[in-house]
């Protein structure tokens, strides 16, 4: 009986200690349509935690006192829910990228078998159209030379999509 | 702006047919002849492997045209934009009214009768539907899996994108082209018929009657 209690306690200890480290795996994160491999990702019931170093590498966002920021863009984290987004253990600082996506109304698609995560356009990017200002983009031509819509500012533009299929 | 997951490999022969004569001998003869006749292109053609432009502008089919003025503002939103009559047998749509409207805009700018009011534009453009955004993410994930050597695993995500945004022909046709229509239990033809035919597939542009000049 005593042995059972001991092993039960040990198991309980393992169960509380494990989630932080047991599911660390390699994941692919697609952000702004660019894929980045991340070696230490934690997937916990459809939540994706990555280190803040990987956050910067995969998304260019950084956690700062004023919020999660990239260049001029900054999204403040709700003060009462900081622990939903950031926590420290194993000598690293971890960030919940899926919780952040929910905060900024960004769609996420996930393939669990291949540990691949796709982060789509945030609502602020999608709402740009209602300003009637044409969303800018940069794409290559057949020779690989990159062109931006904004390169044609000052001229009338007929933007036409087509496809080979 | 080629919406092609296959990138230059798929779009290239249609941009510069003469460069691909050996690699793609089955190119239509008239395409090759036209390329010889017109010589180097005088406009910019870009390749959009991630369908980024469709995502940013909420486009659902090709060809789709948008008019953007000198200040970078949209003055006519997404609409079917045929600039010649090569698909007229299927579409029953004459390209002349669209081309005339385009010429009118080039001449008269924002005063053209074909420039839409801001309210009308917003009504046509704003579609911040979470399902449409989620569909784009599923499609993007499918493309990533396809390109990283997992074409079979991409299919469920392409199907999910089609379910979430059934109006997008881009999601249907690009996915069929990357494997086979059989993987989706349908055909392009059946889907067009199911949707209500070619007039639904290609809704004619909403063009006001041009003002008669004295």
């Amino acid at each position: 009986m005593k042995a059972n209690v001991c092993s039960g306690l040990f198991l309980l200890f393992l169960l509380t200690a494990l989630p932080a480290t047991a599911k660390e795996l390699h994941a692919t994160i697609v952000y702004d349509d660019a894929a980045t491999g991340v070696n230490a990702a934690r997937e916990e019931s459809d939540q994706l935690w990555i280190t803040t170093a990987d956050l910067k590498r995969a998304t260019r966002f950084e956690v700062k006192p004023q919020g999660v920021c990239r260049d001029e863009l900054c999204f403040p984290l709700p003060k009462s829910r900081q622990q939903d987004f950031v926590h420290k253990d194993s000598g690293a600082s971890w960030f919940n990228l899926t919780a952040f996506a929910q905060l900024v109304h960004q769609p996420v698609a996930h393939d669990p078998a291949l540990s691949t995560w796709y982060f789509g356009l945030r609502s602020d990017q999608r709402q740009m159209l209602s300003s009637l200002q044409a969303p800018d983009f940069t794409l290559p031509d057949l020779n690989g030379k990159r062109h931006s819509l904004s390169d044609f500012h000052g001229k009338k533009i007929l933007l036409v999509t087509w496809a080979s299929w | 702006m080629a919406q092609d997951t296959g990138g230059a490999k798929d779009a290239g022969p249609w941009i510069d047919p003469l460069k691909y004569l050996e690699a793609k001998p089955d190119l239509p003869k008239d395409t090759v002849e036209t390329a010889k006749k017109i010589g180097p292109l005088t406009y910019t053609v870009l390749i959009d492997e991630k369908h980024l432009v469709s995502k940013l502008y909420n486009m659902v089919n090709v060809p789709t045209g948008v008019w953007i003025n000198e200040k970078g503002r949209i003055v006519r939103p997404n609409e079917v934009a045929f600039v010649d009559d090569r698909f007229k047998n299927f579409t029953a749509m004459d390209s002349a009214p669209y081309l005339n409207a385009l010429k009118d805009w080039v001449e008269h700018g924002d005063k053209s009768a074909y420039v839409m009011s801001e309210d009308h534009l917003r009504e046509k453009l704003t579609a911040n539907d979470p399902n449409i955004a989620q569909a784009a993410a599923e499609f993007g994930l499918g493309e990533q899996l396809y390109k990283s050597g997992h074409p079979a695993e991409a299919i469920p995500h392409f199907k999910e994108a089609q379910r979430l945004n059934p109006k997008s022909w881009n999601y249907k046709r690009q996915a069929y082209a990357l494997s086979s229509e059989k993987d989706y239990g349908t055909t392009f033809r059946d889907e067009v018929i199911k949707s209500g035919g070619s007039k639904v597939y290609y809704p004619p542009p909403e063009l006001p009657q041009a003002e008669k000049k004295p």
Side-chain angles (χ1 to χ4, degrees):
Chain A
M1 183 66 188
K2 197 177 175 186
N4 278 346
V5 171
C6 280
S7 58
L9 283 174
F10 181 64
L11 186 64
L12 187 67
F13 168 75
L14 270 182
L15 284 174
T16 50
L18 271 177
T21 51
K23 292 181 183 173
E24 245 170 62
L25 41 79
H26 178 88
T28 303
I29 295 171
V30 187
Y31 213 93
D32 294 327
D33 276 330
T36 306
V38 168
N39 283 326
R42 294 176 180 176
E43 294 182 356
E44 290 165 14
S45 43
D46 251 12
Q47 298 287 301
L48 175 68
W49 289 85
I50 56 174
T51 65
T52 47
D54 282 336
L55 171 72
K56 191 177 176 188
R57 212 163 54 82
T59 71
R60 294 202 301 112
F61 275 105
E62 288 177 84
V63 181
K64 292 185 172 176
Q66 64 270 38
V68 182
C69 308
R70 181 169 82 181
D71 305 327
E72 303 299 303
L73 194 64
C74 234
F75 295 98
L77 296 176
K79 276 191 180 157
S80 59
R81 292 180 49 217
Q82 292 280 330
Q83 72 285 1
D84 292 348
F85 298 93
V86 191
H87 80 248
K88 287 188 179 175
D89 73 55
S90 314
S93 179
W94 294 84
F95 185 78
N96 187 334
L97 195 55
T98 39
F100 179 61
Q102 205 174 10
L103 182 76
V104 297
H105 304 286
Q106 180 179 35
V108 182
H110 176 212
D111 190 286
L114 294 167
S115 284
T116 302
W117 299 77
Y118 184 97
F119 293 81
L121 295 178
R122 299 183 307 269
S123 67
D124 59 300
Q125 294 170 302
R126 305 197 301 271
Q127 278 163 3
M128 242 174 95
L129 273 182
S130 59
S131 74
L132 303 184
Q133 203 62 28
D136 198 19
F137 54 83
T138 304
L139 290 168
D141 64 19
L142 189 55
N143 299 315
K145 187 182 170 196
R146 296 176 73 76
H147 303 260
S148 296
L149 185 77
S150 50
D151 297 344
F152 299 88
H153 199 83
K155 293 180 177 176
K156 288 188 183 73
I157 302 169
L158 170 63
L159 177 70
V160 182
T161 60
W162 59 278
S164 67
W165 29 264
Chain B
M1 200 82 51
Q3 303 295 286
D4 264 298
T5 304
K9 176 176 70 65
D10 289 345
W14 302 95
I15 299 171
D16 190 351
L18 304 181
K19 193 173 162 183
Y20 287 82
L21 284 177
E22 278 183 31
K24 200 167 167 59
D26 57 340
L27 271 174
K29 270 187 189 163
D30 57 345
T31 302
V32 176
E33 289 310 311
T34 306
K36 280 181 187 165
K37 202 160 66 186
I38 63 174
L41 297 180
T42 54
Y43 49 89
T44 308
V45 186
L46 304 180
I47 302 174
D48 185 2
E49 290 186 27
K50 313 274 184 182
H51 293 231
L52 173 65
V53 173
S54 289
K55 260 185 283 197
L56 289 171
Y57 288 79
N58 283 334
M59 293 173 175
V60 295
N61 206 345
V62 291
T64 293
V66 177
W67 299 2
I68 299 164
N69 75 7
E70 292 86 340
K71 291 174 186 158
R73 286 183 75 77
I74 297 169
V75 294
R76 272 192 80 83
N78 307 353
E79 63 191 337
V80 176
F82 280 111
V83 292
D84 62 34
D85 290 331
R86 78 182 82 172
F87 297 112
K88 200 174 167 182
N89 281 346
F90 171 64
T91 64
M93 203 187 293
D94 189 354
S95 61
Y98 185 76
L99 287 173
N100 288 338
L102 195 56
K103 283 175 194 158
D104 190 84
W105 175 53
V106 170
E107 195 178 333
H108 300 106
D110 288 353
K111 289 182 180 158
S112 164
Y114 300 101
V115 165
M116 283 188 184
S117 72
E118 294 204 346
D119 286 347
H120 198 176
L121 281 167
R122 283 203 180 87
E123 183 191 317
K124 286 188 153 283
L125 275 170
T126 310
N128 197 18
D129 177 344
N131 272 351
I132 291 177
Q134 187 62 39
E138 290 291 345
F139 190 79
L141 177 59
E143 281 185 309
Q144 168 64 25
L145 298 182
Y146 176 84
K147 289 206 156 188
S148 58
H150 300 282
E153 289 83 352
I155 290 173
H157 298 288
F158 286 144
K159 283 185 178 172
E160 182 63 357
Q162 292 168 17
R163 187 188 70 79
L164 290 165
N165 186 359
K167 285 187 181 167
S168 173
W169 289 100
N170 289 349
Y171 292 161
K172 292 187 179 86
R173 296 192 63 198
Q174 176 69 87
Y176 300 166
L178 295 176
S179 54
S180 154
E181 292 160 315
K182 284 180 192 161
D183 290 322
Y184 296 83
T186 186
T187 65
F188 170 48
R189 192 185 138 81
D190 286 349
E191 288 295 300
V192 173
I193 294 168
K194 204 161 69 183
S195 75
S198 63
K199 283 216 165 159
V200 176
Y201 182 73
Y202 282 135
E206 193 183 299
L207 298 172
Q209 291 295 312
E211 285 172 42
K212 282 184 186 163
K213 301 207 171 70

